[in-house]
Amino acid sequence: MVSLETLTPFEDKPIEHRQFQLISPWSLPASLYICHFEWIFGLEYNGFPFNSKFNIITVSKDIRQYLTNGSLIFIPTADVLERAYDMLIYNNNRPREPNERKRFEEFGSGPWEYTILPGRWNLTTKKIWLLPPLFNRSSDGTHIPFSFEDCGYDTLPRFTSFVHPLIVIMLHNINTPDNHPTPAIQEALVTPLKKVLGKWPQWRHNRFLPMPNTRFKSKYDVGRKIFCLCVHCLKNPPSASAVSSSKLEDTCTDDAEEAEKECSKEEYKELSRIANERIALWRGSLEGVAFIHDDAKHDDILEWYAKECTDAADRVMLRQEEERAKREALATEIKGLPLKKKSRVS
């Protein structure tokens, strides 16, 4: 029987067994996918089972490096991959709230079946790439040459393990395998795997944070601070953007330019509201003066301000701060002193 525990690149060296952690908490490439994984496969935030039997498998010490770089891989069965695809699509639905997702535990507790095969191929020569010749240790302790190139789909080595297929999928998302030169193997194993990988989410904003344009309005309470390293969150920390961020669209799949455009739109709306309040205030003051002084409504200055009050809000905003001091001085003069028609605002 061939397994990850009995394969070795050495013909005359005893096999030492080691624990292989599929996803390491210290891996930078893996850190880019952890948040996606936790969301789409129904885990809590910061709930990835790094030290669980779901993430650790016993292998021959000398093949561990080939598992790490993706030149030797193992793939779940096609029906398991189909279940993973359905869960990913369901949980990645944009309005989905955290507690509405299908859960990681629903996938079962194992063990699951896996097929071992090379992950790197020279598609011109159809030869295995980056994987040395291997030997399989038999039950009597002898090492027998083993070649994947001689294997068809039915003769590829298989094993069962408690390592979780969803975590195996993430490992392949970090090191995507090459297409297999044998059509039957490609169709039965690699194509179903790549179907799942092809739907891996590309959103940047952390889905565990509120998405204002969905039903998920309140902060997801996981007992710890939720981090997001997307461009919008880095530019707008929560303490500085609590008000404006609540008005933004869901920027999970939008780039920084779209987020900034939406932010500018909300800022413009707020400025317009302030401008219209000021316009109404000035219009009321001017109408009061015109009612008291019959000739005031014919005054050039008041006519000019009355016209300004009917301008579009964005045009008024550009002039308001510049003219504010002049208007206040003029209002004081109109209310307390006779009008001076020679006074004019340029």
Side-chain angles (χ1 to χ4, degrees):
M1 179 179 177
V2 179
S3 74
L4 296 177
E5 297 182 36
T6 60
L7 282 176
T8 174
F10 301 106
E11 184 176 6
D12 54 0
K13 181 180 176 182
I15 291 180
E16 297 180 50
H17 293 133
R18 291 290 185 272
Q19 298 295 303
F20 173 60
Q21 192 174 37
L22 276 67
I23 304 299
S24 167
W26 314 115
S27 169
L28 179 59
S31 67
L32 302 175
Y33 301 103
I34 288 293
C35 187
H36 295 114
F37 182 95
E38 291 172 341
W39 180 270
I40 61 176
F41 290 133
L43 285 170
E44 298 296 317
Y45 177 70
N46 263 358
F48 191 92
F50 288 105
N51 298 317
S52 165
K53 65 180 181 179
F54 293 145
N55 187 48
I56 298 173
I57 188 172
T58 301
V59 301
S60 167
K61 171 188 173 183
D62 298 312
I63 68 167
R64 190 166 55 173
Q65 60 179 311
Y66 306 113
L67 295 169
T68 301
N69 64 24
S71 54
L72 183 64
I73 63 175
F74 51 101
I75 297 180
T77 59
D79 62 321
V80 169
L81 290 171
E82 188 64 29
R83 286 182 59 200
Y85 178 84
D86 292 341
M87 177 178 281
L88 186 157
I89 296 300
Y90 181 86
N91 287 346
N92 199 40
N93 186 294
R94 188 171 294 187
R96 192 79 60 205
E97 293 190 17
N99 294 329
E100 292 179 333
R101 296 169 301 153
K102 293 182 178 179
R103 307 301 294 182
F104 182 83
E105 296 78 12
E106 296 174 21
F107 216 84
S109 57
W112 294 273
E113 181 182 291
Y114 295 95
T115 302
I116 306 173
L117 67 159
R120 300 285 178 257
W121 292 85
N122 185 320
L123 298 183
T124 302
T125 63
K126 296 186 179 181
K127 298 294 183 181
I128 297 171
W129 186 48
L130 297 180
L131 184 66
L134 296 176
F135 299 87
N136 180 48
R137 188 184 66 179
S138 64
S139 57
D140 61 5
T142 59
H143 290 182
I144 303 171
F146 180 87
S147 175
F148 284 102
E149 293 177 341
D150 299 332
C151 292
Y153 173 72
D154 293 330
T155 56
L156 283 170
R158 292 172 174 83
F159 69 97
T160 59
S161 172
F162 284 97
V163 70
H164 205 288
L166 298 179
I167 297 179
V168 173
I169 289 170
M170 179 173 170
L171 179 65
H172 292 317
N173 195 48
I174 298 171
N175 287 314
T176 305
D178 295 336
N179 289 334
H180 200 282
T182 304
I185 296 176
Q186 173 68 25
E187 182 179 351
L189 293 171
V190 182
T191 298
L193 172 64
K194 290 192 172 182
K195 177 184 176 182
V196 181
L197 301 183
K199 291 297 184 179
W200 195 274
Q202 300 299 316
W203 39 263
R204 302 173 186 177
H205 178 71
N206 189 337
R207 281 281 177 93
F208 287 99
L209 288 171
M211 290 179 263
N213 68 329
T214 70
R215 291 177 292 113
F216 176 22
K217 297 294 184 182
S218 59
K219 184 174 181 179
Y220 183 48
D221 183 14
V222 292
R224 65 191 75 188
K225 184 175 181 181
I226 302 177
F227 291 95
C228 182
L229 300 179
C230 75
V231 174
H232 173 70
C233 290
L234 288 175
K235 291 177 65 177
N236 301 277
S239 59
S241 61
V243 177
S244 61
S245 63
S246 66
K247 304 273 187 181
L248 290 176
E249 288 186 356
D250 175 13
T251 56
C252 293
T253 54
D254 294 338
D255 56 19
E257 182 180 349
E258 285 297 315
E260 200 160 315
K261 184 187 298 182
E262 186 66 21
C263 187
S264 298
K265 186 189 299 182
E266 295 300 324
E267 183 179 359
Y268 172 78
K269 289 179 181 178
E270 178 64 13
L271 291 174
S272 295
R273 183 189 65 78
I274 295 172
N276 283 315
E277 286 181 356
R278 291 180 179 178
I279 290 170
L281 179 63
W282 277 101
R283 181 183 292 118
S285 299
L286 293 173
E287 288 174 352
V289 172
F291 177 78
I292 296 171
H293 304 280
D294 291 338
D295 61 340
K297 59 184 178 181
H298 302 297
D299 185 85
D300 292 339
I301 299 173
L302 294 182
E303 286 181 356
W304 191 87
Y305 277 115
K307 179 180 182 301
E308 183 186 25
C309 288
T310 64
D311 283 346
D314 56 343
R315 293 180 58 191
V316 175
M317 281 189 294
L318 296 176
R319 298 195 297 268
Q320 279 185 336
E321 290 305 317
E322 180 182 344
E323 297 292 331
R324 181 174 54 82
K326 296 180 182 179
R327 295 185 192 186
E328 289 178 354
L330 178 62
T332 301
E333 183 178 6
I334 290 175
K335 290 179 179 180
L337 298 172
L339 290 175
K340 298 180 181 180
K341 294 190 177 182
K342 62 179 180 180
S343 299
R344 192 179 186 92
V345 177
S346 56

